[in-house]
């Protein structure tokens, strides 16, 4: 059997969820969209179900997968519905629904609903992705109330730059949000992971942690709460071939690496078809036989090469950690000029094994 696998530590996941609650004192929706950032949405939801205040996903397809697996907790659809025809299912399964656009508001006004909806009314406070314009916000709130089709409204917005700790943009967004909701008495929800971790003064009855649940930092620098996260996924495989090369020999596609001296090379069963980033360059950290080493040359579809020259205890069959408790996914992502969010979401083909249930 191919030795590539992703170990998912559900105990670490619960620790990170509790940390989000502890540092904010707020209710927390665990964001498990995109198959829980590659960690497996159903298993993650089951592991958190007794403690989580609810879950958040990107669309009704993801929400229905949770209900089909028996998850009864509240589930928020972060982009609401894409077509009004989803409304009966939203009602039937008690999903909570973001309203980010006037067309969604109109669809609710026109719908025949058998029960009232819970709506999270989203404001565009400056990110300019989705969300109602501040000038429309009050009226949208009043129209939802007047429709008689809504049981509860939560006021929400989303930060564009909370991962930049010395940037004023988040404060400006809070000011826009506070101005737009003046006079409305409803619960509010603003905070994603970087805001939960780095912006303690932001008020939010509900927080929406995603990446931090999985134990990866959204910041490009050291940060106090990031240091308390526990990595959840360990992506590992084994050395399947070892070779000794003299100086001056190329390694892998394109001869992107040429041995500067006699070297011992290990070939690992892991490649970009597993989601390991193809753009990770020579020097990207790995752990082999318990010792830090580095990637060499280009990542192939199913294999990659690492340096065993100074790891004499490593050989055929040695375990390699690509990321996990020792090699941080955020460091691998940075080396590949991307973010841990993307390398987690890209995981595929690799079987996931769960522990700490
Ligand atoms: C994805 C998402 C989150 C979670 O973001 P993280 O940075 O992973 O914590 C929160 N809110 C909304 C609206 C999202 O789309």
């Amino acid at each position: 059997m191919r030795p590539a696998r992703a170990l998912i530590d559900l105990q670490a996941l619960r620790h990170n969820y509790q940390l989000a609650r502890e540092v904010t004192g707020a209710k927390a929706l665990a964001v498990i969209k995109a198959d829980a950032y590659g960690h497996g949405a159903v298993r993650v939801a089951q592991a958190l179900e007794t403690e989580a205040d609810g879950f958040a996903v990107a669309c009704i397809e993801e929400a229905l997968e949770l209900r089909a697996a028996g998850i009864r907790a509240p589930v928020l659809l972060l982009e609401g519905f894409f077509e009004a025809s989803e409304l009966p299912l939203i009602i039937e399964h008690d999903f909570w629904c973001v309203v980010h656009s006037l067309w969604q508001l109109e669809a609710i006004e026109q719908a025949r609903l058998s029960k009232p909806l819970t709506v999270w009314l989203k404001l565009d406070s400056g990110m300019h992705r989705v969300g109602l314009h501040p000038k429309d916000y009050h009226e949208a709130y009043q129209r939802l109330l007047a429709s008689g089709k809504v049981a509860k409204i939560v006021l929400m917005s989303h930060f564009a730059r909370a991962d930049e700790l010395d940037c004023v943009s988040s404060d400006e967004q809070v000011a826009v949000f506070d101005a737009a909701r003046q006079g409305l008495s409803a619960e509010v929800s603003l905070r994603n992971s970087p805001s939960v971790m780095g912006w303690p003064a932001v008020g939010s009855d509900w927080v929406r942690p995603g990446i931090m649940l999985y134990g990866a930092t959204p910041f490009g620098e050291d940060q106090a709460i990031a240091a308390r996260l526990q990595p959840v996924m360990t992506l590992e495989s084994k050395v399947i071939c070892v070779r000794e090369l003299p100086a001056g020999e190329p390694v892998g596609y394109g001869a992107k690496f040429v041995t500067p001296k006699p070297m011992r090379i290990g070939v690992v069963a892991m490649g970009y078809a597993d989601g390991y980033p193809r753009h990770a360059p020579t020097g990207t950290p790995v752990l082999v036989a318990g010792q830090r080493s580095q990637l060499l040359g280009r990542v192939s579809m199913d294999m990659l090469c690492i340096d065993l020259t100074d790891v004499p205890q490593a050989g055929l069959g040695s375990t390699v950690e690509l990321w996990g408790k020792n090699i941080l996914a955020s460091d691998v992502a940075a080396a590949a000029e991307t973010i841990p969010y993307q390398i987690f979401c890209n995981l595929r083909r690799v079987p996931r094994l769960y522990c700490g249930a």
Side-chain angles (χ1 to χ4, degrees), residues 31 33 37 78 122 129 156 158 192-194 208-211 341:
V31 179
K33 62 192 178 190
Y37 296 39
L78 285 166
K122 189 163 186 177
R129 191 175 59 180
M156 76 177 289
H158 192 59
N192 55 359
S193 298
R208 308 187 305 267
I211 194 72
Y341 299 73

Side-chain angles (χ1 to χ4, degrees), residues 107-188:
I108 290 171
E109 286 176 323
Q110 284 160 21
R112 274 227 192 89
L113 304 179
S114 57
K115 273 187 297 183
L117 268 175
T118 294
V119 166
W120 287 45
L121 187 61
K122 189 163 186 177
L123 177 78
D124 175 8
S125 57
M127 184 168 180
H128 302 331
R129 191 175 59 180
V130 294
L132 295 167
H133 193 281
K135 75 171 168 40
D136 298 327
Y137 202 58
H138 253 257
E139 191 193 325
Y141 181 93
Q142 302 303 347
R143 280 172 59 184
L144 282 174
L145 281 189
S147 75
K149 291 168 183 165
V150 173
K152 178 177 174 176
I153 304 175
V154 176
L155 310 176
M156 76 177 289
S157 193
H158 192 59
F159 290 118
R161 300 181 68 179
D163 56 329
E164 297 171 65
L165 291 167
D166 51 6
C167 173
V168 296
S169 158
S170 296
D171 294 323
E172 291 168 358
Q173 285 194 258
V174 171
V176 170
F177 181 69
D178 285 344
R181 72 186 177 93
Q182 237 191 8
L184 305 180
S185 63
E187 289 184 324
V188 307

